[in-house]
Amino acid sequence: MSALTHPPVIRSLLDTDLYKFTMWQALLHRHPQTQAEYRFVCRNTPAFPLSQLKDEVERELDALCALSLSDEELAYLRSLRFIKSDFIDFLRLFRFQRAFIEVSTEGDTLHIVARGPQVHVMGFEIPVLAIVNELYFRRLDTPAVRAEGQRRLDAKIATLQAFAQETEGLRHPFELFDFGLRRRYSGDWQREVVRQLRDALPQHFKGSSNVKLALELGLVPIGTMAHEYLQTFQALGTVRLRDHQKAALEDWVQEYRGDLGIALTDVVGMDAFLADFDLYFAKLFDGLRHDSGDPVIWGEKALAHYAKLRIDAHTKRLVFSDGLTVDKAIALYRHFADRVQLGFGIGTHLSNDLGLTPLNIVMKLTHANGQPVAKLSDSPGKTLCDDETFLAYLRQVFQVQPL
């Protein structure tokens, strides 16, 4: 089947992660003037050069830029109590602008760069990743691959159903979310995985980051903030670099006033985050999300911080989302379940576990207002910045040693 006979990969602007909308609203209301640049990167070696996908990616982006939100989709977003009416008005008019995103190749390497007003380019990230993934895996797709994917999914469901019986009577329930959109095998496969998990594990499978699937399958959309939100504050010019985390968290509190209370901790590392996450923020936020570094060490640091602040950890939630598998989620639950509320966001291991090697692709914010921004990850290899001078300065300001 040729590429031309396939429908577009993205057929709805809701086919994205919830935190894109939540960050989008906060930045639109508070920093609408920010200019931004996002760059696509593949961190592993694909089965064939991604540069071969250039023409197909161009066509998919043309189709993406023709989309707008329907009345039904807008009504669904309006039903989420933290989405404000003026943001709905903005979204009613919104379309991606093709002039703000460029695709090119350099040898075998595929380059995709989105550059322009942040409130017009930040939304490209998730569709671009979904497009590249689906175009890539179409060339590798066979009935045998799908059959292996179903076999693996059946095994995960059986494991989770058996484990669920262990958790009965424990203080905090085992709660699982789908975080698999950005690296999914395909849109139809993610939908099938999420549907089967919903039907097989009604007490434990609590939702999806994919807003479209949440609407279609009657699930809770899950998500708050990602790295780009906090990174943007590194380049606003209105706060000192040292204070950018506190400024980002404060703006979030003012925007959502108690909703969406899970804070991401690893933009400059857990230790530097906790130094800013004082009693004020610890009381205002419902919990923390882990996305790099050893999850047990991270969780123990979080619990020690709450204890130091004399906050009852049973009233807080730790969400784990870094390269999780079902087995890792179960092990973390066993370690922490009697001390704190928990949540587990599993991505690639659910949406792209069919026996083929997944692409390790990202599309990250690299510059805001013409200045570099960076993430000082708690995991080697996840630090992102192409400006070594700024990276060194950021480490110095937050007293973070290179990994």
Side-chain angles (χ1 to χ4, degrees):
M1 183 180 288
S2 74
L4 293 175
T5 62
H6 284 283
V9 171
I10 303 297
R11 299 188 289 279
S12 165
L13 294 184
L14 286 192
D15 195 7
T16 194
D17 285 329
L18 178 67
Y19 66 23
K20 277 295 170 180
F21 287 107
T22 57
M23 293 187 293
W24 198 354
Q25 175 174 281
L27 291 170
L28 178 68
H29 283 158
R30 296 172 188 280
H31 304 286
Q33 76 285 0
T34 304
Q35 298 287 310
E37 178 183 289
Y38 291 76
R39 286 187 175 269
F40 170 88
V41 176
C42 181
R43 293 167 169 161
N44 63 349
T45 303
F48 61 86
L50 295 186
S51 59
Q52 295 181 16
L53 300 176
K54 178 182 182 295
D55 291 346
E56 294 171 73
V57 170
E58 297 265 26
R59 287 194 294 269
E60 291 288 346
L61 290 174
D62 291 343
L64 175 69
C65 291
L67 293 175
S68 59
L69 287 161
S70 69
D71 288 343
E72 178 193 12
E73 291 169 335
L74 290 165
Y76 176 72
L77 290 172
R78 192 187 298 275
S79 74
L80 306 176
R81 71 180 186 183
F82 46 82
I83 298 295
K84 298 178 180 177
S85 62
D86 68 311
F87 185 43
I88 296 295
D89 295 337
F90 171 85
L91 292 174
R92 186 180 299 279
L93 300 172
F94 178 80
R95 287 195 181 194
F96 283 112
Q97 301 300 305
R98 191 65 173 85
F100 291 149
I101 189 164
E102 298 176 357
V103 184
S104 62
T105 60
E106 183 180 358
D108 290 344
T109 303
L110 179 68
H111 294 291
I112 306 173
V113 180
R115 188 185 294 113
Q118 188 171 30
V119 294
H120 284 277
V121 300
M122 63 184 295
F124 275 118
E125 176 197 0
I126 306 300
V128 164
L129 297 178
I131 285 167
V132 172
N133 266 307
E134 188 149 346
L135 294 177
Y136 175 81
F137 284 106
R138 273 180 192 169
R139 298 192 180 191
L140 308 175
D141 194 24
T142 66
V145 169
R146 297 280 181 144
E148 175 63 14
Q150 185 61 56
R151 187 193 68 77
R152 294 182 181 208
L153 178 58
D154 290 342
K156 293 185 186 79
I157 289 173
T159 297
L160 288 166
Q161 287 175 328
F163 175 66
Q165 298 176 8
E166 284 184 39
T167 68
E168 292 179 9
L170 293 180
R171 180 161 184 175
H172 299 299
F174 179 79
E175 296 189 344
L176 176 69
F177 322 118
D178 157 55
F179 279 8
L181 198 168
R182 63 181 55 232
R183 293 180 187 157
R184 68 191 183 190
Y185 185 79
S186 67
D188 68 309
W189 179 250
Q190 186 192 17
R191 190 184 196 284
E192 186 59 24
V193 168
V194 170
R195 184 194 65 77
Q196 291 187 44
L197 289 167
R198 179 202 65 179
D199 293 348
L201 299 158
Q203 300 303 312
H204 300 278
F205 185 70
K206 293 298 182 178
S208 173
S209 64
N210 186 324
V211 184
K212 182 172 183 282
L213 291 184
L215 168 61
E216 292 179 350
L217 299 176
L219 294 165
V220 176
I222 305 291
T224 57
M225 66 180 74
H227 300 94
E228 67 184 286
Y229 173 73
L230 289 103
Q231 287 175 280
T232 297
F233 284 75
Q234 296 172 2
L236 289 181
T238 55
V239 295
R240 295 187 310 159
L241 181 62
R242 178 64 188 83
D243 296 327
H244 84 273
Q245 291 190 115
K246 290 182 281 189
L249 295 174
E250 180 64 30
D251 270 14
W252 194 268
V253 167
Q254 295 302 321
E255 180 69 24
Y256 291 111
R257 307 193 68 80
D259 270 320
L260 303 172
I262 302 296
L264 181 62
T265 67
D266 72 328
V267 170
V268 289
M270 181 62 161
D271 294 339
F273 177 86
L274 292 179
D276 288 342
F277 197 67
D278 60 10
L279 182 63
Y280 171 75
F281 288 126
K283 283 188 172 182
L284 289 175
F285 280 87
D286 297 322
L288 305 171
R289 178 163 77 90
H290 170 265
D291 201 47
S292 66
D294 185 297
V296 172
I297 293 173
W298 176 89
E300 294 293 350
K301 285 181 178 181
L303 291 175
H305 190 70
Y306 283 130
K308 183 179 73 173
L309 297 175
R310 291 182 288 184
I311 289 176
D312 182 0
H314 291 291
T315 67
K316 300 299 179 179
R317 180 186 293 270
L318 301 183
V319 177
F320 295 87
S321 62
D322 178 34
L324 281 191
T325 64
V326 166
D327 289 343
K328 286 180 183 177
I330 288 173
L332 288 167
Y333 178 81
R334 286 177 171 148
H335 186 88
F336 290 110
D338 61 347
R339 292 187 283 165
V340 64
Q341 299 174 50
L342 296 164
F344 300 95
I346 303 184
T348 311
H349 184 61
L350 290 181
S351 68
N352 200 345
D353 184 22
L354 300 90
L356 302 175
T357 302
L359 292 175
N360 186 351
I361 56 176
V362 295
M363 188 168 181
K364 294 297 187 183
L365 177 68
T366 59
H367 292 79
N369 293 330
Q371 300 180 49
V373 299
K375 177 177 77 166
L376 298 178
S377 174
D378 285 319
S379 293
K382 292 187 79 172
T383 293
L384 280 176
C385 184
D386 57 6
D387 188 310
E388 290 297 328
T389 301
F390 177 72
L391 202 55
Y393 177 53
L394 188 63
R395 286 195 176 108
Q396 179 184 1
V397 167
F398 284 95
Q399 299 179 347
V400 176
Q401 297 299 315
L403 295 174

